Amino acid sequence: MEKLTFILIVLPFLSAIFCYITPYRKIRSSIVMATAFLLIMSSLMLIRITPFSFSPITVLGADIHHIVLILDFLILFLIFYFGIKHHHLLIIIFAILQIVLLGYLEYFMIKEQTVSPIFYCDSLSLIMILIISIVGSIICIQSIPYMKNHEEHLGLRISREPRFFGVMLLFLGAMNGLVLSNDLLFLYFFFEITTLCSFLLIGHDNTERTIRNAVRALWMNSLGGALFIIALVILNSQIGALDMQKIIHTPKAGLWFLPIALLCFAAFTKSAQFPFQSWLLGAMVAPTPVSALLHSSTMVKIGVYLVLRLGPAIQGTFLTHCVAIFGAFTFLAAAALAVGQSNGKKVLAYSTISNLGLIFACAGINSSAAITAGILLIIFHAITKALLFLCVGVIEQHIESRDIEDMRGLYSKMPVTALITVIGVITMIMPPFGLLLGKWMAIEAASRNIIVIIVLALGSALTVMYWARWAGILMSDPFAGKFKTEKQPILTWVSLVSLCLGATLLSMISPWLYSWMIIPIFNEKYLQSYIVTRGILENPSGSFAVIPLSILALIGFFVSVLAVRKALRARVVPPYLSGVQLSEPGTFLGPMNQPVKAEAKNYYLSSIFGEQRLTIWVNLVAMVLITMLIGGAL
Amino acid sequence: MFKKLIRNSRMKSPWLLHFDCGSCNGCDIEVLACLTPVYDVERFGIINVGNPMHADLFLVTGTVNSRNSMVLRNLYEQMPNPKIVVAIGSCGLSGGIFREAYNVVGGVDKIIPVDVYVPGCPAKPEAIIDGVVTGLQKYDRIVN
Amino acid sequence: MSMSMQILLVVLGVVAGPLIGGLIGGLDRIITARFQSRVGPPVLQPFYDVNKLLAKEYTVVNAWQAFCAYSYLAASMISVALFFLQSDMLVIYFVQAVGAIFLVVGALSSTSPYSQIGAHRELLQMLAYEPLLVLVIIGIYIETGSFKISAVYSWDKPLLLKLPFLFVVLGYALTIKLRKSPFDLSTSHHAHQELVKGVTTDYSGPLLGLIEIAHWYDVVLFLCFCSLFWATNIAGMIILISITYFLEILIDNVSARMTWRWMLGNVWAIGLTLSLVNLIWLYQQ
């Protein structure tokens, strides 16, 4: 147990240091691969011993509390330094606030260390660890070839790779630490590390634009950190403990809800919910593996993880209702904004915000079915979104554009990547795949809440719209059926294919995933939500036949594949162009006998769903909802 | 029996594509008149689909000239087999009064194989319907 | 329900689905023709059409079309089968949405602008009716306490009495799904040739036949949803469906095609208001 947690938390820190000081790419790559391997193995071994809790006294021979405290201050001063360096007043204010409050908390309020255990691992933590360690490791592996390409493309004289991989590994360790921490001071410490990592990685390319976006991410996340530490101070004065488990199970009294509301608020900033979406959108300037790791599959999940953790404490209160409405609103608004986007990475970013909103809505509905939905969404969203981000990264390096319109007919240029992307999109929106299973549960769980359900219904229709058109145009080109071979580094194939298999196969075994991973979460507050019989998830009001549907889907898939094989022998006719098409594909004979390219663009409906039009209103509504949340807690 | 079923269905469901190669619109008005309630060719399952990808029957009116001969050929090729071409009106048959013009190629059969010729200037709706029915009789020969 | 009974029902749904769908299509065409003082085709006309299409030459623009057409058919078949198994309504709705998505993806795989724009209009149509359908299902759930169709059948009062507005909302969804005016934007049964054949433009021959069959399944599925509103006896179901379908034909014949803006605004404004009102009634009880 000690060894496993050591590997999961401390080892990435050590590897990060080694990566940072190694000048040779080969050695660095092997360190990354070895760390990834160890992380995957130890996270899998953790399944057997969950749940557990323990409190280490020392780490690497030093008192663990002192180490954390020193590093905590170090990070805050670093943030303070970056604030001064980039002349950003908000960052400076938030950093000073945090330093003062942390000092006050440590030296004046906490008389003796009462938190035990420091680390606590239940199924929720385990699921997060598996996502972080497995998906995160796969992304790190893919970033080896990606960064090589990236640096060659930029033509850097001094490689910035050591810094990149150092921060990536550091981040993995911090994430593992965060989800294992039971002591809120530890949680806060890891929270701050992830903020710093995000800042460093967004600004990785060191151009004016990346730095501007990185600074924006830093101030917004520092706001989250400041809210967090304020919540800790109040919590400590109210119940005299910073123990997550204790807080959840303490009876509510006095100013009890304010710190919880503040923690939810901090969670919203971390998960880039409206009105803080701009940092996540700006973060898309980072190299794509960063977007995949931090800004879709892991770091932004901290927010939803926190709220799910706090779920039992707020069950049946006004606060949980607010979170549900806020989440549902974000789900709808981000989906609407995604419809108006043609930039592939922005679509992914908005879709991430949207899905996080849905998970928040689930956490807010706070029934056992909703919690199940939320956890399933976390798992499958992490896998699928990581896959899609990596695909967009590969595509971007190949066609030098991230615009969806430029991906028209990508199948003829990079068939395998295009296919994997389409599969990724399909797993986002179609049954029997995990995300849709989660959405089904969410809708059924929300059906007693009239506002939430109407908003979810609208949002889910918008979601279909922006995914379907993307999947469609990837295949949009007449092709004669000859597979062109596509060359990519082996590590790219390994990561893409493993994520793709993960997204599809894991969906098919989701009933068992549910029995193994999610049922242990239920307790006296959450009754078991679904019963699994013969691969069918069922409760008194509904049933989702995962296995039968998967089998039918597989049969349908194979029949369709056979149909394609038959279609490959069919006569190929040019698309209908009013009869004036020329032999050159997609062109017609225009005026003066000149060839003209026939063009059709996607509907982005920017007059309705455009960023300029919607953002301000969406932010306004979100602020009102957050005010409601804080005000309701007072 | 299966073959008979298919043949029967083909006879009962000719979807037509109407293409005006450049006529004076006299024949076109007559073609469309067939679809009006007066003649109501939908009784026989005939629909004007306006899309070569879906069509079985190709109704061509007007003279073929050097500009639109490409369009005529393209549309014909986009139609899936079995397909029947009906040339309508004097112009469609031979180029009509325009056949001496410098840019005129001539009748429809200069470009694509024609199954039925419906003469007239303009051709009467009854004649057009008769031409279509005659064309349908040719399915047996085309398929086998 | 016993296993053999279930299998029987599935077979019934899968076999009878297209037969009924085709017959309804034939009747639709005759009634439409009578509205326009025409005689109209024989009642079996849709079967002749599909038969002919299936026997035509196999031509494709892009081999993906075949994948999408078969997937569309498969999804529609599964959704009808699930309905006959009296399964979860939301799941049925999601499965039929898969079919609609594949139709769009197949159309997008052609570079023809007609097909592309048709596909996007189809997406807009889905955008218009999908939330309404979810809300109708939610309304049924609030009333009966279950998402399963079996619960609706064991409910002792007709749902129409409690969910009148939601039935109107379902009517909107049905009009869009049946491709009736004023919502026949993406493709139409008639020779309105503004977009050629819209979303189906580049499907031809057997693939078009498959899409037509899948459409029959969809029609049957939506009419089945309508029948849930009077599930207490068979006569009631049939009368309700007949009246609804007759009204659909009437609306089709008296209205012109509208733009997507009008559709989205109109359907969402009226549909959401009506569902909201009806849902509030239900929550109040």
Side-chain angles (χ1 to χ4, degrees):
Chain A
M1 187 158 54
E2 280 87 2
K3 273 182 201 145
L4 284 182
T5 37
F6 182 82
I7 292 176
L8 285 171
I9 303 174
V10 184
L11 177 81
F13 282 69
L14 300 177
S15 319
I17 296 168
F18 284 122
C19 269
Y20 190 66
I21 54 177
T22 314
Y24 304 108
R25 176 174 278 146
K26 285 240 167 77
I27 299 179
R28 203 162 46 233
S29 305
S30 4
I31 294 176
V32 172
M33 306 254 281
T35 313
F37 178 76
L38 279 173
L39 279 181
I40 292 174
M41 283 303 139
S42 42
S43 66
L44 287 174
M45 275 155 74
L46 208 62
I47 297 175
R48 284 237 311 278
I49 55 168
T50 306
F52 67 89
S53 57
F54 84 115
S55 305
I57 311 294
T58 59
V59 58
L60 299 173
D63 185 337
I64 189 163
H65 286 99
H66 287 149
I67 291 190
V68 166
L69 194 63
I70 291 165
L71 288 178
D72 220 346
F73 277 115
L74 193 68
I75 289 164
L76 289 175
F77 278 111
L78 255 179
I79 292 176
F80 180 67
Y81 161 74
F82 283 123
I84 291 185
K85 185 180 167 196
H86 297 297
H87 309 293
H88 202 286
L89 190 61
L90 280 174
I91 297 177
I92 299 172
I93 293 174
F94 291 139
I96 293 176
L97 185 69
Q98 290 184 69
I99 291 168
V100 171
L101 283 177
L102 185 67
Y104 176 67
L105 191 65
E106 277 289 341
Y107 297 112
F108 295 98
M109 291 184 84
I110 299 174
K111 299 286 180 288
E112 68 228 39
Q113 291 302 334
T114 49
V115 176
S116 80
I118 292 175
F119 293 116
Y120 174 80
C121 180
D122 62 357
S123 287
L124 184 58
S125 313
L126 177 68
I127 288 168
M128 290 299 289
I129 286 183
L130 285 172
I131 291 171
I132 295 156
S133 304
I134 298 176
V135 179
S137 298
I138 291 173
I139 294 169
C140 281
I141 289 171
Q142 152 66 4
S143 36
I144 296 171
Y146 182 92
M147 288 314 284
K148 187 159 171 273
N149 252 337
H150 187 70
E151 303 226 315
E152 277 165 11
H153 182 74
L154 291 179
L156 291 184
R157 212 170 290 150
I158 307 160
S159 170
R160 290 170 68 81
E161 270 189 35
R163 180 171 171 270
F164 179 83
F165 284 104
V167 180
M168 289 285 266
L169 291 178
L170 181 74
F171 170 77
L172 286 183
M175 276 304 290
N176 278 333
L178 191 144
V179 294
L180 278 175
S181 298
N182 186 45
D183 184 337
L184 283 174
L185 273 173
F186 276 63
L187 210 148
Y188 171 71
F189 163 64
F190 291 121
F191 192 88
E192 286 303 303
I193 299 185
T194 58
T195 298
L196 195 64
C197 287
S198 169
F199 167 75
L200 292 174
L201 287 171
I202 295 170
H204 178 75
D205 283 346
N206 214 5
T207 61
E208 199 190 328
R209 185 152 156 258
T210 57
I211 290 188
R212 198 175 58 235
N213 291 345
V215 168
R216 193 193 302 139
L218 187 60
W219 86 253
M220 286 189 174
N221 281 313
S222 296
L223 170 64
L227 291 167
F228 202 111
I229 194 86
I230 295 172
L232 291 195
V233 170
I234 302 175
L235 269 179
N236 202 43
S237 64
Q238 289 285 314
I239 58 169
L242 294 173
D243 180 334
M244 186 64 114
Q245 291 304 316
K246 205 167 162 190
I247 289 163
I248 294 170
H249 296 108
T250 306
K252 308 145 178 87
L255 261 182
W256 160 251
F257 280 123
L258 186 62
I260 306 285
L262 288 176
L263 284 180
C264 290
F265 194 176
F268 293 158
T269 60
K270 201 75 179 171
S271 289
Q273 301 291 289
F274 294 108
F276 304 104
Q277 81 280 24
S278 57
W279 80 256
L280 189 70
L281 296 169
M284 294 299 137
V285 296
T288 313
V290 174
S291 310
L293 180 61
L294 274 75
H295 307 127
S296 74
S297 58
T298 54
M299 191 181 86
V300 288
K301 297 281 193 314
I302 294 175
V304 286
Y305 166 78
L306 255 182
V307 178
L308 280 175
R309 254 284 168 249
L310 294 168
I314 56 173
Q315 210 177 19
T317 61
F318 177 70
L319 187 59
T320 189
H321 203 66
C322 284
V323 173
I325 292 176
F326 180 81
F329 169 73
T330 311
F331 174 60
L332 170 65
L337 281 160
V339 168
Q341 290 302 318
S342 70
N343 178 332
K345 264 186 118 174
K346 263 195 164 173
V347 171
L348 289 179
Y350 273 124
S351 144
T352 303
I353 299 172
S354 170
N355 274 297
L356 290 171
L358 182 59
I359 302 171
F360 272 123
C362 290
I365 294 161
N366 218 341
S367 66
S368 50
I371 298 292
T372 313
I375 294 173
L376 280 176
L377 285 170
I378 289 184
I379 299 173
F380 288 106
H381 180 255
I383 301 172
T384 306
K385 211 31 101 46
L387 171 68
L388 284 172
F389 263 112
L390 294 187
C391 285
V392 170
V394 173
I395 292 168
E396 191 187 355
Q397 288 197 330
H398 194 88
I399 64 171
E400 307 215 329
S401 165
R402 50 175 72 164
D403 198 293
I404 292 177
E405 291 295 338
D406 295 329
M407 296 182 197
R408 246 165 224 289
L410 192 75
Y411 186 79
S412 54
K413 289 180 213 131
M414 15 190 354
V416 185
T417 313
L419 264 180
I420 292 177
T421 313
V422 170
I423 293 174
V425 171
I426 284 176
T427 54
M428 285 296 295
I429 49 173
M430 284 186 191
F433 297 107
L435 272 164
L436 203 104
L437 179 66
K439 200 184 273 177
W440 168 77
M441 283 179 182
I443 292 181
E444 297 212 338
S447 53
R448 291 276 170 197
N449 189 333
I450 190 162
I451 306 172
V452 173
I453 193 66
I454 289 182
V455 175
L456 287 191
L458 290 174
S460 121
L462 284 166
T463 308
V464 168
M465 172 139 185
Y466 65 80
W467 284 121
R469 66 180 184 208
W470 193 353
I473 61 170
L474 286 176
M475 297 300 173
S476 132
D477 213 38
F479 76 97
K482 273 174 256 118
F483 260 96
K484 282 180 203 122
T485 43
E486 186 189 347
K487 271 214 174 124
Q488 297 287 352
I490 182 95
L491 287 180
T492 303
W493 288 139
V494 168
S495 45
L496 288 189
V497 170
S498 56
L499 282 176
C500 187
L501 286 179
T504 47
L505 296 183
L506 218 54
S507 300
M508 310 230 165
I509 59 158
S510 52
W512 290 281
L513 204 65
Y514 166 77
S515 327
W516 295 333
M517 298 280 192
I518 301 177
I519 286 183
I521 289 171
F522 299 128
N523 49 29
E524 69 282 356
K525 288 214 173 184
Y526 296 108
L527 304 171
Q528 189 176 335
S529 49
Y530 292 91
I531 300 163
V532 181
T533 40
R534 280 181 287 165
I536 301 173
L537 282 168
E538 196 160 19
N539 70 358
S541 62
S543 68
F544 196 114
V546 179
I547 296 301
L549 274 181
S550 302
I551 293 169
L552 285 175
L554 267 180
I555 295 171
F557 176 77
F558 280 115
V559 171
S560 305
V561 168
L562 287 181
V564 171
R565 290 181 61 122
K566 198 177 153 205
L568 288 175
R569 291 194 298 274
R571 179 159 74 97
V572 177
V573 292
Y576 181 68
L577 274 179
S578 305
V580 282
Q581 69 270 21
L582 298 170
S583 51
E584 172 93 4
T587 54
F588 64 88
L589 190 66
M592 311 298 288
N593 280 339
Q594 293 302 306
V596 179
K597 191 108 183 123
E599 268 185 275
K601 289 251 163 78
N602 282 350
Y603 277 16
Y604 293 106
L605 316 184
S606 43
S607 60
I608 303 176
F609 298 118
E611 243 176 356
Q612 278 96 10
R613 201 182 158 82
L614 276 187
T615 305
I616 181 162
W617 298 108
V618 165
N619 286 348
L620 214 66
V621 175
M623 278 188 239
V624 169
L625 287 175
I626 290 181
T627 317
M628 195 166 82
L629 179 124
I630 302 286
L634 280 172
Chain B
M1 195 201 86
F2 200 59
K3 250 182 190 161
K4 206 174 152 197
L5 188 72
I6 289 171
R7 182 180 172 277
N8 197 16
S9 301
R10 276 194 181 129
M11 301 287 278
K12 287 194 185 240
S13 157
W15 288 0
L16 66 86
L17 170 68
H18 166 218
F19 180 53
D20 171 7
C21 258
S23 81
C24 65
N25 281 6
C27 295
D28 303 302
I29 289 167
E30 302 300 332
V31 168
L32 294 177
C34 301
L35 300 164
T36 59
V38 178
Y39 295 95
D40 186 23
V41 287
E42 207 197 345
R43 278 178 298 162
F44 312 117
I46 298 177
I47 308 178
N48 183 6
V49 287
N51 175 5
M53 305 284 193
H54 297 186
D56 311 294
L57 271 174
F58 194 16
L59 264 53
V60 191
T61 57
T63 47
V64 180
N65 57 39
S66 41
R67 170 90 188 172
N68 65 24
S69 59
M70 178 196 85
V71 181
L72 186 63
R73 194 180 298 115
N74 277 342
L75 290 178
Y76 179 75
E77 272 162 14
Q78 277 180 328
M79 286 171 62
N81 285 319
K83 52 195 169 191
I84 284 165
V85 181
V86 180
I88 294 170
S90 310
C91 305
L93 266 51
S94 63
I97 57 167
F98 305 108
R99 69 176 175 280
E100 301 292 320
Y102 67 96
N103 61 338
V104 166
V105 177
V108 176
D109 53 6
K110 288 267 165 57
I111 305 295
I112 55 174
V114 172
D115 297 290
V116 181
Y117 298 87
V118 179
C121 185
K124 291 177 96 178
E126 291 89 343
I128 295 170
I129 295 173
D130 186 46
V132 168
V133 173
T134 317
L136 291 178
Q137 307 296 333
K138 292 190 72 176
Y139 264 137
D140 294 328
R141 257 189 291 157
I142 295 170
V143 176
N144 301 318
Chain C
M1 218 172 2
S2 69
M3 194 74 185
S4 54
M5 185 69 183
Q6 284 188 341
I7 293 172
L8 195 74
L9 276 174
V10 170
V11 172
L12 184 76
V14 171
V15 175
L19 293 179
I20 296 171
L23 271 182
I24 291 174
L27 285 173
D28 181 348
R29 281 174 71 172
I30 292 177
I31 297 172
T32 301
R34 297 292 153 90
F35 274 141
Q36 301 164 355
S37 62
R38 292 188 287 118
V39 177
V43 72
L44 293 180
Q45 186 61 42
F47 297 104
Y48 298 138
D49 291 346
V50 166
N51 236 333
K52 171 205 74 181
L53 285 172
L54 291 178
K56 287 208 80 159
E57 185 196 15
Y58 203 159
T59 59
V60 290
V61 167
N62 180 334
W64 271 101
Q65 287 184 309
F67 185 89
C68 294
Y70 274 87
S71 297
Y72 176 28
L73 180 61
S76 297
M77 248 161 140
I78 294 171
S79 62
V80 170
L82 283 176
F83 192 97
F84 276 75
L85 279 175
Q86 311 196 348
S87 175
D88 190 298
M89 285 183 287
L90 263 182
V91 176
I92 296 172
Y93 150 77
F94 282 133
V95 173
Q96 76 81 29
V98 168
I101 295 168
F102 270 116
L103 177 68
V104 169
V105 171
L108 283 174
S109 72
S110 154
T111 50
S112 161
Y114 301 103
S115 181
Q116 295 261 336
I117 295 174
H120 278 285
R121 287 190 181 175
E122 178 76 18
L123 276 179
L124 285 166
Q125 289 186 0
M126 285 165 68
L127 184 60
Y129 76 74
E130 283 196 341
L132 302 187
L133 209 54
V134 173
L135 293 179
V136 169
I137 293 171
I138 297 295
I140 297 177
Y141 162 73
I142 302 291
E143 178 63 13
T144 63
S146 172
F147 283 97
K148 288 176 197 155
I149 288 169
S150 48
V152 179
Y153 283 122
S154 56
W155 199 243
D156 55 353
K157 287 187 295 288
L159 289 174
L160 187 60
L161 305 178
K162 281 288 179 61
L163 313 167
F165 285 176
L166 282 176
F167 188 73
V168 178
V169 171
L170 181 61
Y172 267 100
L174 183 68
T175 318
I176 298 175
K177 197 71 195 172
L178 287 175
R179 310 194 185 296
K180 298 283 188 201
S181 288
F183 304 124
D184 51 350
L185 306 167
S186 66
T187 182
S188 142
H189 294 299
H190 310 296
H192 308 167
Q193 292 174 10
E194 153 214 20
L195 260 191
V196 190
K197 278 285 174 184
V199 70
T200 58
T201 300
D202 282 337
Y203 290 102
S204 62
L207 294 183
L208 186 64
L210 292 182
I211 285 176
E212 198 58 30
I213 297 174
H215 181 63
W216 291 345
Y217 276 115
D218 279 357
V219 169
V220 168
L221 180 73
F222 272 68
L223 290 178
C224 285
F225 265 120
C226 285
S227 77
L228 289 183
F229 280 76
W230 206 288
T232 44
N233 64 19
I234 302 249
M237 274 189 212
I238 292 172
I239 292 172
L240 185 66
I241 292 179
S242 312
I243 293 175
T244 314
Y245 203 92
F246 184 79
L247 285 176
E248 292 291 346
I249 299 173
L250 191 67
I251 291 168
D252 186 27
N253 276 285
V254 298
S255 50
R257 178 183 300 166
M258 302 300 278
T259 60
W260 65 262
R261 263 172 213 282
W262 184 88
M263 173 185 71
L264 215 54
N266 197 301
V267 173
W268 274 22
I270 297 178
L272 288 181
T273 316
L274 288 181
S275 356
L276 190 66
V277 171
N278 210 154
L279 284 177
I280 288 174
W281 288 349
L282 291 174
Y283 282 109
Q284 287 311 311
Q285 287 165 9

